[in-house]
Amino acid sequence: MNHAEIVRDYVTLRKSSKGLTNKLVKLLSRDDINKAARDLGMLQHDKIVLETEDEIGVLMDYALANIVREGRTAIDRALEEDPPPEGSPELTLLRSWQKSHYTVLEIVEAIPGVGVQALDGPEKTPILVVDIGFSKTMIPGRLMASRIKSPGEGWWMTTGAALPVNEQALKMITHDLEKFRNRHGREPDDHQLARFVTRACVAAKASQEIVYADLRGNTKVARRGRSGSEDTAHPGTSSKLGRNDPCPCGSGKKYKKCCGMFPARPR
């Protein structure tokens, strides 16, 4: 497939992904979300606390793919119990999600209007990650942590919750991986890697460094800063999510009535 065909398929799949994710989130129990928040260090005083709006996507993405209940993730349960119609974009997304893996990508170059060429994991496997926004904001040499899936031959896309890996996060990841290898004599599995890497990025406040591109292609447009204005000098700075703000998980409820209401249960 050429880039134009790949982008066409990507756009179709991305349009379907939001509705699919909202349906999948409903398969998560309170215990599932509590466990995900605990794994990622997002619990403070028995409440889920988010540094930025983007972290709700990080939390839900982790919960869907990494929290296992009775041997199955929410992705597994959706495919087994209520699969979308054969040939639908939703089914393609779910199947690729089930085979996805968590990784740290090194950005090689941006491909305008398509995405980025990247090196996948410690093996540095060259891959094409399709994301039109990435083609405007990603800088060669930067590291990005994300779960990635391949819904089409020869290209990949993220599950929608990528985080920059800054210097502080990288040091934490390196330390945690070395400690794990020394203790267990092996590499962490996919779920363990996702926990180590995502938790380190959250602790290092990497979500504050997320950069967005506007419709004109400007690459230094941030989410709302603490002053409530667009901040182009410090892209990615975000305010903490307010209790009365709409919950970013897409439920349509206020944050305090949705993801913000889950208390931690005793360990």
Side-chain angles (χ1 to χ4, degrees), residues 91-160:
L91 185 61
T92 298
L93 286 167
L94 273 178
R95 285 174 172 168
S96 63
W97 207 336
Q98 191 178 48
K99 297 177 181 179
S100 66
H101 66 278
Y102 200 87
T103 188
V104 174
L105 298 170
E106 179 182 345
I107 306 303
V108 176
E109 65 173 329
I111 304 173
V114 180
V116 294
Q117 289 286 350
L119 301 178
D120 178 11
E123 297 83 8
K124 296 188 178 297
T125 305
I127 63 171
L128 170 64
V129 180
V130 180
D131 189 303
I132 298 170
F134 286 173
S135 74
K136 300 175 183 178
T137 61
M138 287 297 172
I139 301 172
R142 291 294 300 272
L143 300 178
M144 176 181 72
S146 181
R147 179 164 293 281
I148 60 172
K149 55 192 176 186
S150 180
E153 186 176 355
W155 63 277
W156 298 76
M157 62 189 291
T158 72
T159 54

Side-chain angles (χ1 to χ4, degrees), residues 158-226:
T158 72
T159 54
L163 284 170
V165 180
N166 58 26
E167 185 176 354
Q168 181 183 353
L170 185 58
K171 288 180 180 178
M172 295 173 66
I173 294 166
T174 302
H175 175 269
D176 288 345
L177 290 179
E178 182 178 359
K179 184 177 178 181
F180 182 90
R181 294 183 188 114
N182 290 338
R183 181 175 182 180
H184 299 282
R186 63 175 177 84
E187 294 296 317
D189 62 25
D190 185 73
H191 295 312
Q192 292 164 333
L193 180 65
R195 184 173 72 252
F196 291 152
V197 174
T198 309
R199 186 183 180 98
C201 290
V202 169
K205 302 185 184 301
S207 66
Q208 292 188 4
E209 301 177 19
I210 294 174
V211 178
Y212 291 89
D214 67 11
L215 295 177
R216 296 184 181 89
N218 297 321
T219 59
K220 290 188 177 181
V221 176
R223 288 194 184 268
R224 293 287 174 179
R226 287 178 174 81

